Amino acid sequence: IYVFSQPIVANARLELRVDGMGGEIVAGPIARAQAVASYFDENNQSVAKIKRFDAQLWWTRLNYTAQQATAMRFKADGVESKSLNQIGIIFIPRIIWPDKPVLRGPGQDFYFLVTGRDNNRMSITLYADLLWQFGWIGLILICIPLGLVFGVMSRIIVPELKVLNFIYIPAALIGMNIALIDLNKFFINGVLTSIPMFFIYLYTIQFFTQRTEHEELAVR
């Protein structure tokens, strides 16, 4: 589905007059639906143009080589990443701090550094971000405990799923999301804010499970 949908997405971007293939789309649902439908119009010149592209659009959406190389160049040139500057306030809930400022995503800052524009965002993967932040040694030293954390998560979840304890399925999905999607983000929004959600959910279900068991024993 993903592979075959990419030409349709590319056509929609052209139909909606986006500033380049990577620009931001500002359009309502009706306009988007019309742009998708236009892909199946035999007289659509945009579709003919897309089909003549030499690049495999679906692959370019999965390939982070250019972003990673840019982050490596920034590191070599002394361009600092400021994504961790927000770490002191990112964990404070807005219900406690109603006037908490709206935080810019690190992908938006990176896109601005690369293009000079502020209308989109770009990811670089966790590994490129760690290299940019801490160098090769920091990348290795952080990835080792990160791998151990994934191992702990698996050892907790897999036995529960084997005995069909379905209350752990959301925790498994959170872990899968981190491993498959969040590692393509930055350190601050791909790991630091995602892994705690896994253990918070885990603690919550264990707390209520134990409480329910104690109540059942008290009734007996």
Side-chain angles (χ1 to χ4, degrees):
I1 292 174
Y2 174 79
V3 171
F4 286 106
S5 68
Q6 289 311 297
I8 301 176
V9 173
N11 170 70
R13 289 182 177 276
L14 292 176
E15 289 293 314
L16 295 171
R17 302 293 189 272
V18 181
D19 181 16
M21 295 295 294
E24 183 180 14
I25 293 178
V26 181
I30 296 178
R32 290 171 182 260
Q34 291 173 343
V36 170
S38 68
Y39 178 79
F40 303 96
D41 183 358
E42 296 180 356
N43 298 320
N44 191 333
Q45 297 299 316
S46 297
V47 176
K49 185 186 301 182
I50 290 169
K51 290 181 177 179
R52 290 196 302 269
F53 281 169
D54 292 331
Q56 299 177 3
L57 297 178
W58 66 270
W59 173 243
T60 59
R61 298 285 293 180
L62 297 173
N63 186 2
Y64 292 91
T65 303
Q67 294 94 314
Q68 292 171 332
T70 302
M72 294 174 70
R73 188 176 72 248
F74 284 163
K75 178 66 175 179
D77 293 343
V79 179
E80 296 184 0
S81 171
K82 299 180 180 180
S83 62
L84 291 181
N85 292 355
Q86 303 173 349
I87 196 170
I89 62 176
I90 195 171
F91 293 104
I92 303 177
R94 196 168 294 276
I95 191 172
I96 298 177
W97 186 6
D99 297 329
K100 177 180 176 179
V102 178
L103 304 178
R104 284 172 56 92
Q108 192 172 1
D109 290 333
F110 182 76
Y111 184 81
F112 180 78
L113 285 174
V114 173
T115 66
R117 294 181 297 179
D118 209 14
N119 63 341
N120 208 334
R121 60 188 59 85
M122 184 183 297
S123 185
I124 63 175
T125 74
L126 167 74
Y127 314 105
D129 186 36
L130 290 176
L131 175 64
W132 187 13
Q133 301 268 8
F134 309 109
W136 286 106
I137 295 178
L139 169 63
I140 296 172
L141 293 179
I142 293 177
C143 281
I144 291 175
L146 179 60
L148 294 175
V149 170
F150 279 126
V152 170
M153 293 166 64
S154 298
R155 289 182 66 89
I156 294 173
I157 293 299
V158 171
E160 299 294 343
L161 296 183
K162 283 184 177 180
V163 296
L164 305 182
N165 197 351
F166 295 127
I167 196 172
Y168 284 85
I169 286 181
L173 294 177
I174 293 174
M176 292 172 61
N177 184 79
I178 296 172
L180 296 175
I181 299 176
D182 287 348
L183 294 186
N184 292 331
K185 299 179 181 179
F186 290 75
F187 184 49
I188 191 168
N189 63 351
V191 171
L192 291 183
T193 56
S194 299
I195 290 181
M197 295 301 299
F198 173 87
F199 289 101
I200 289 173
Y201 179 82
L202 202 67
Y203 172 79
T204 301
I205 58 178
Q206 289 179 346
F207 173 79
F208 284 105
T209 300
Q210 293 175 357
R211 184 173 180 178
T212 301
E213 290 176 353
H214 290 159
E215 291 176 352
E216 290 179 352
L217 290 174
V219 171
R220 292 176 184 175

